[in-house]
Amino acid sequence: MLSLLKSLLSRSTSNTRIQAQQLLRDNSEDDAYTVPTRVLYPFQWNWDSCFTSLGWVTFDEDRAWAEIASLLKGQCRSGKIPHIIFHKDSESYFPGPDIWQYDNPEMKTSGISQPPVLATTVRMTYERCKNKEQALSFINSIMPKIFAYHRWWHERRDPHNTGLVATYHPWETGRDNSVEWDEPIKAVPLDDLQPYVRQDLATINPAYRPTNEDYDYYVALLQLFKTHKYDQIKLYEISPFKVADIGINSILARANSDLLYMMTLCDSSEEDRQTVLNWLDMQAKAFEGFWNSDRGVYQSINLITGEKLDFVTSGSFLSLWSGLIPFESASIMASTLENMCHATKVLVPSLSADDAKYDRYRYWRGPVWAIINFMIYDGLKIYDQKLLADQIFNTTRTAIKTYGFKEYYDPVSGEGLGGDNFSWTAAMWLYWLDKK
Ligand code: DGY
């Protein structure tokens, strides 16, 4: 009886694996890049692709590296890797390249970036792949590009060397409508807002998406950037929305450590290695500024007012993934996380259920995201918080197994929400959760 049960379980696990692999193949374009989901997001997204390469490496190493190569085709001369690469035309997404009008001679792209997980996912892809020789030769060829990308963040988004890099747009944080941005975004003037039409609401329940008010601000910011020709240093001075996102800063710190590790495998110069060490050193010193001892978490900072954005979000726990924080703070945060999850079946809600703004269905204001869970899980492991890490692993796994590869999940029921057949959720299954 027990062996029958075991064989049924392992058969259903391998079925989910086959479905996840098929999903990535179905979302693949030209054998080169993966759309996050068809219709809603029909192009290549920066951090989506990085996480998706982790899924590919489990069954097709060449395709994993092709994903990264395609992403880098959109890299700007300044080093920035844009958040969207418009390899082909599509009418089903707003705002497309004609709205961005971003002058990138390499490729049609958006004009902002996204959380810089690239160096970390390249390292993870390398560690999982079998053909190390081929991988190292590719990594050697892209190392200057990754270095240039990190330089872009540090020089263009932290021109005064404070150790805190700024973001000018909620879309850049990847956590678009997180409550953290509600107050700072109000400083964006809406007087000159040009009319626009959203496309996302044609396919997704509006109750699961950012509101029209949120979109007004997103589009007004885009229009402002266009007026200033996306001049990053100028925008550092004048952007009405300027935030040190705990997510981006944690992800960049971790990526700097992983870049440094890969530099030891490649032909990087001592001078470049020293530069990365200096960035990390600056970040380590600045990180304490994110800490809120009353709440027991790290929090984003509004760089215009200097105030902390006082919420407990899943972004707060990305500080664990940075590897930069003291063990003592990590253990305080583990308790904060446990308290935050008391009413949830699936960890980790994107906003504490105790918060008045919590909404279990609406995008980054409550729902659970597999990629965020993966980073928090990995971060908890760094700090020996194994029980909590396992709880995240198990509840994420059950939600995906029950409801399929959705964009995000209701923390209360576990039900899948948002876009269907979502690439990074399938990739997280293959790379992280496909274990039992
Ligand atoms: C969107 O369009 O919803 C994206 O999150 C922006 O990248």
Side-chain angles (χ1 to χ4, degrees), residues 341-398:
C341 294
H342 65 86
T344 58
K345 181 166 153 191
V346 188
L347 280 59
V348 173
S350 40
L351 175 63
S352 168
D354 298 329
D355 198 291
K357 293 188 168 190
Y358 169 77
D359 178 343
R360 60 192 263 209
Y361 303 112
R362 200 182 284 284
Y363 215 40
W364 291 95
R365 298 171 91 90
V368 174
W369 295 70
I371 51 128
I372 299 288
N373 277 6
F374 167 61
M375 291 188 275
I376 299 175
Y377 163 91
D378 189 78
L380 285 166
K381 286 270 183 102
I382 299 176
Y383 292 97
D384 295 335
Q385 296 289 340
K386 194 173 170 326
L387 278 181
L388 201 48
D390 285 347
Q391 233 180 309
I392 293 178
F393 180 95
N394 290 326
T395 58
T396 314
R397 198 173 186 282
T398 306

Side-chain angles (χ1 to χ4, degrees), residues 88 117 217 226 289 305 316 347-348 413:
K88 292 180 187 171
V117 284
Y217 287 118
K226 238 182 346 190
T305 61
S316 314
L347 280 59
V348 173
S413 67

Side-chain angles (χ1 to χ4, degrees), residues 52-113:
T52 300
S53 65
L54 297 179
W56 282 112
V57 74
T58 64
F59 67 105
D60 186 343
E61 292 180 11
D62 290 348
R63 184 59 187 76
W65 296 122
E67 188 79 27
I68 301 303
S70 304
L71 177 65
L72 289 169
K73 279 195 184 148
Q75 184 168 31
C76 311
R77 289 184 188 157
S78 63
K80 173 169 67 189
I81 303 179
H83 99 298
I84 310 176
I85 321 288
F86 301 108
H87 294 277
K88 292 180 187 171
D89 293 337
S90 168
E91 295 298 312
S92 69
Y93 180 77
F94 170 87
D98 299 345
I99 304 289
W100 283 98
Q101 291 174 2
Y102 181 62
D103 183 19
N104 181 353
E106 309 308 324
M107 187 75 94
K108 284 186 193 167
T109 66
S110 67
I112 55 172
S113 193

Side-chain angles (χ1 to χ4, degrees), residues 40-41 45 47-48 83-84 93-95 100 110 112-114 169-172 174-177 198 200 209-210 215 218 363-364 369 407:
L40 182 63
Y41 301 128
W45 262 258
W47 74 331
D48 287 77
H83 99 298
I84 310 176
Y93 180 77
F94 170 87
W100 283 98
S110 67
I112 55 172
S113 193
Q114 237 175 1
H169 201 297
W171 280 338
E172 199 164 62
R175 299 182 295 116
D176 306 2
N177 68 338
R198 290 177 70 168
D200 54 322
R209 292 286 301 170
Y215 257 76
Y218 302 158
Y363 215 40
W364 291 95
W369 295 70
E407 188 176 5

Side-chain angles (χ1 to χ4, degrees), residues 261-316:
Y261 169 80
M262 287 189 297
M263 284 172 138
T264 62
L265 307 175
C266 296
D267 310 326
S268 306
S269 70
E270 185 46 40
E271 191 188 343
D272 287 354
R273 279 201 286 269
Q274 195 51 52
T275 302
V276 181
L277 271 174
N278 292 345
W279 290 334
L280 263 173
D281 191 46
M282 247 177 2
Q283 289 191 286
K285 289 191 182 116
F287 230 77
E288 206 40 39
F290 289 120
W291 180 244
N292 181 337
S293 53
D294 296 338
R295 295 285 212 138
V297 281
Y298 291 82
Q299 295 178 323
S300 302
I301 300 171
N302 182 350
L303 291 174
I304 306 237
T305 61
E307 281 163 12
K308 284 203 187 70
L309 299 162
D310 191 7
F311 295 98
V312 180
T313 67
S314 54
S316 314

Side-chain angles (χ1 to χ4, degrees), residues 172-244:
E172 199 164 62
T173 70
R175 299 182 295 116
D176 306 2
N177 68 338
S178 174
V179 293
E180 292 147 281
W181 325 137
D182 285 3
E183 265 315 299
I185 202 83
K186 290 203 181 112
V188 177
L190 295 179
D191 320 328
D192 297 328
L193 182 65
Q194 306 290 312
Y196 65 93
V197 180
R198 290 177 70 168
Q199 302 273 27
D200 54 322
L201 302 185
T203 41
I204 307 291
N205 182 342
Y208 302 168
R209 292 286 301 170
T211 61
N212 286 336
E213 190 190 1
D214 292 329
Y215 257 76
D216 281 354
Y217 287 118
Y218 302 158
V219 176
L221 269 174
L222 189 165
Q223 288 169 357
L224 179 86
F225 298 166
K226 238 182 346 190
T227 310
H228 293 284
K229 301 196 170 1
Y230 297 92
D231 177 338
Q232 299 297 301
I233 296 296
K234 178 144 192 223
L235 290 177
Y236 191 88
E237 302 310 327
I238 61 127
S239 178
F241 179 87
K242 189 168 65 170
V243 160

